[in-house]
Every structure is written in C-alpha cells, then in structure tokens.
C-alpha cells in the first residue's frame, strides 16, 4: 500500500524561513505548479456544529414514506437522491477531520515506552475518536463529497499535554475546554488534508501528519449504503495505516459500519461491526466490536475490545463501555483505568476563512447549501445541491466521452489503496 511522488518544491521555505509542509499547499499537485497556502492563514474554527434535535416533521415523513415505497431491502443507496432536510451542514470530508478532535491522544501514541504500551495507546485513541465525529443524537447525513473536493485544517497541541495516557497523571478537563498553546514553539502541529478521489464508487482519502513527532495516518474509505427497512446502513470499506516513524511501526486498522435507525420518527445513529488493528512488526493486534442494540432490550452504543500479543497468545488489555460515553480498560497486571469521552478536552480545528479557500474546498463549495439550511429554506438548499451535483454529472460525462480518467490532486492509487502523494515516510 505504498506509492510516492517526488516534487521539486517539497522543501520550499515560508516567509519566516520555515519549511512548508505539502499538506499546507492547497494548489500543489504532482503534475502542476504550486499555489501556497500558509498555515498562518488558518484560524480557530468556532463554527457551531450542533444540529437541531427535532424528530421528522409530518410533511417530511410523507416524503420519506414515498421514498421508502420505491426501495427494496438491501438496495444500494449510492445513486438514490435523498431529501435535503436530512443533511447536517458539513461534508463527509470534514466529518473525517472531526474524528481527530483529540489529537493529544493520537500524538501520545509514539511516546509509549514499549510496543505494548503504544498499541494500547492506539486502541485508547481509536475508541475515543468517534464520539466527536457524531454531533448530537440526531442521525443526519453529511454532504456526499463532489469528486475533486478537498478539506484542509490543522490542530495545535500544547506539548505538555502529549503524554502516554497510561503513565501520565492528567488533570480532569471539561469537554467545553478548548486547549490552545499561546506560544507556537510550545505546541505540536498536526496537519490534515482530505480529498474525494472517486465518484463511482464514492471513495474518500485523508492524510494527517505531525513532522515533529514523526507520525502520520493515511486512510482511504469507500462508503457503501443500503436500505434496511426502517434503517439505513453505511459500510466503511477500506483501511487506514498509522505510521510511527520513530519506531518503524505500522498499525493497519479498519472502520465500523454506521446505522441510521428509526428513520420515520426520531432518527438516531449507532455504530456496528468488528474492526481490527494490526502491527506486523511487533506482533500485537486488537479486535474491537461495536455492538448494535438488540431488537428487545439491551444497551446502546456498546463497544468491547481486546489487545493481544500474538507470538505468545497473551491478552494484554481488555476494554468495554460506550464509544460516546465511559470506557473502562483492564490491563494484564490487574490495573484498570476509566476514560469518560464526554470530559476529554476537544481541540478546535484551525481552518482558513472562506474568502481564502479555493472553489473545491468543502466549506466554500457547499457554502450556499449550508447557508440556506441554516435559514431553514429547504427548497433553496435543494436547488443549490442539485446544481452542484448536476455540474459533477456533466463533467463526468465529458471525461467519459474524451476517455480522460479523473486525476486527484493529493492521492495516488496503487492496487486497491490510495496514498498521499508526498507522505512523511518518504520526505527527506
């Protein structure tokens, strides 16, 4: 799963003499010149992500019923146009960025003293990553990214907050706290870029890196949705790789499926399925199971996990709890630890204002749809959405007629996977 692209200007200097990361360069492509976008243009993102917690209105219910009457169980929903009122005012590409809302836990993985501690730190991070990506209990659908759409952001993480969770005594922090480093030299910079590289099938890629910690994550995801009666299921097909360059370790991981339940009343979302985390070099692996609610009784949002050292067949850690609530970890030495995801500090993204974004960057691309959704003008939002999607279809037909394949900006395909064109593990 590795392919690389070398570019002449990958080590250009910024105005302060510092090196510019390729993640900062919005216009930079493997085959064209660069249009530099410096991280100093980014500002803390204070946009309110909370969704209105309302059920399905009566007129909306009739629309959904009409749609359901035309669907068959198990039907692929990829090409089905869903009503605009179920949209949640952000692109799927930005939702992937919101999974990184606890970057201190991600960066702490590489600080683990042993392979066992590092894999456990990764499992702890993984289990806490999903709750912030789902804002509110209401199941709403992010925008389907347009092919060529991109999303860029970064986080600044105070260095004194990056410690292995198992050995660090950390003072309790409110989930409303937004930790920021006053002095950039006392913080780590984590940069993120996502791109929609394919329309059929819909494939999204994202890459993030922290140069100073020599850590990066490269992920490709194909979202496949299907109709399940009163539910909609979305499979997240693909995988990610976390690389800890300091230790020469690669952790390959998969993602759970998501389900929108009770779509005619008060829709809610749950995660389900078995996912895996594997590090071939160290022999450690983890199995994580997101449990869907039984039809009768049972708890919601349950998750269990087990970390294993395969050469010795030893279970080194077990975890259970709720992925959007409290998680309890038990280690093989008898120690236990509890993580409450609702009290973990959330780090706001840093993102460039709309006027400095390119036309294919998520917030700028969907700005009119978002504006009308905020105003409650569903008809106008629907028309703006239809315009974007029709433009995509026209351009796709042109490429088919000219037999010109789409060429992404930041990711290159190799086999079944996609990798960032200038990844940290190939940088000089």
């Amino acid at each position: 799963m590795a392919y690389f692209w070398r570019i002449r200007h990958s080590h250009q200097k910024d105005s302060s003499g510092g090196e510019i990361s390729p993640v900062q360069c919005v216009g930079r492509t493997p085959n064209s010149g660069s249009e530099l976008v410096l991280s100093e243009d980014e500002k803390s993102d204070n946009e309110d992500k909370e969704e209105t917690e309302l059920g399905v209105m009566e007129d909306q219910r009739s629309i959904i019923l009409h749609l359901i009457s035309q669907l068959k169980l198990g039907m692929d929903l990829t090409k089905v146009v869903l009503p605009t009122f179920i949209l949640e005012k952000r692109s799927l590409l930005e939702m992937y960025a919101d999974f990184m809302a606890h970057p201190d836990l991600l960066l702490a993985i590489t600080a683990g003293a042993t392979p066992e501690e590092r894999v456990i730190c990764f499992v702890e991070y993984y289990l806490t990553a999903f709750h912030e990506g789902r804002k509110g209990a209401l199941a709403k659908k992010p925008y389907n990214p347009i092919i060529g759409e991109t999303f860029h952001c970064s986080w600044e993480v105070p260095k004194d907050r990056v410690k292995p969770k198992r050995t660090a005594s950390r003072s309790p922090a409110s989930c409303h706290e937004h930790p920021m480093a006053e002095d950039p030299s006392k913080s780590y910079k984590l940069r993120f870029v996502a791109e929609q590289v394919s329309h059929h099938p819909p494939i999204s890629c994202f890459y993030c890196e922290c140069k100073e910690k020599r850590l990066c994550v490269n992920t490709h995801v194909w979202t496949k949705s299907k109709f399940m009666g009163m539910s909609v299921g979305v499979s997240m097909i693909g995988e990610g790789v976390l690389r800890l360059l300091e230790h020469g370790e690669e952790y390959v991981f998969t993602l759970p499926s998501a389900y929108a339940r009770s779509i005619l009343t008060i829709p809610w979302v749950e995660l389900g399925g078995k996912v895996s985390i594997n590090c071939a070099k160290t022999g450690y692996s983890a199995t994580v199971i997101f449990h869907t609610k039984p039809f009768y009784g049972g708890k919601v949002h349950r998750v269990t996990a087990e970390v294993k050292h395969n050469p010795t067949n030893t279970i080194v850690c077990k975890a259970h709890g709720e992925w959007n609530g409290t998680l309890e970890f038990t280690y093989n030495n008898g120690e236990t630890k509890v993580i409450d995801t609702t009290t973990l500090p959330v780090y706001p993204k840093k993102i460039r204002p709309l006027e400095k974004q390119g036309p294919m960057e998520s917030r700028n691309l969907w700005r009119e749809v978002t504006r009308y959704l905020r105003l409650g003008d569903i008809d106008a939002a629907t028309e703006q959405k239809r315009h974007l999607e029709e433009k995509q279809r026209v351009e796709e037909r042109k490429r088919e007629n000219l037999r010109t394949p789409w060429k992404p900006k930041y990711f290159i395909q190799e086999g079944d996977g996609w990798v960032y064109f200038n990844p940290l593990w190939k940088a000089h």
Side-chain angles (χ1 to χ4, degrees), residues 40 122 132 155 278 324 355 404 419 422:
E40 65 196 32
F122 183 36
E132 193 61 26
W155 296 264
N278 290 286
N324 58 356
E355 61 270 16
T404 305
V419 173
N422 191 38

Side-chain angles (χ1 to χ4, degrees), residues 179-200:
M180 299 293 290
E182 295 180 7
D183 182 354
S185 68
K186 295 180 180 177
S187 67
Y188 295 115
K189 186 87 159 184
L190 184 69
R191 297 186 174 94
F192 177 96
V193 58
E195 180 177 10
Q196 190 72 6
V197 298
S198 172
H199 181 47
H200 294 303

Side-chain angles (χ1 to χ4, degrees), residues 64 67-68 71-77 82 86 139 224-234 258-270 292-295:
I64 295 175
L67 179 63
I68 288 175
L71 304 177
K72 295 178 181 177
L73 283 176
M75 184 176 177
D76 183 358
L77 298 180
L82 299 176
I86 69 168
K224 189 173 185 179
S225 54
K226 65 179 179 180
F227 177 61
M228 302 167 63
M230 289 299 101
S231 301
V232 173
V234 182
Y259 300 91
R261 307 294 194 191
S262 306
I263 57 178
L264 277 179
T265 53
I266 301 178
W268 57 282
V269 69
E270 68 173 339
T292 54
K293 183 183 181 299
F295 192 74

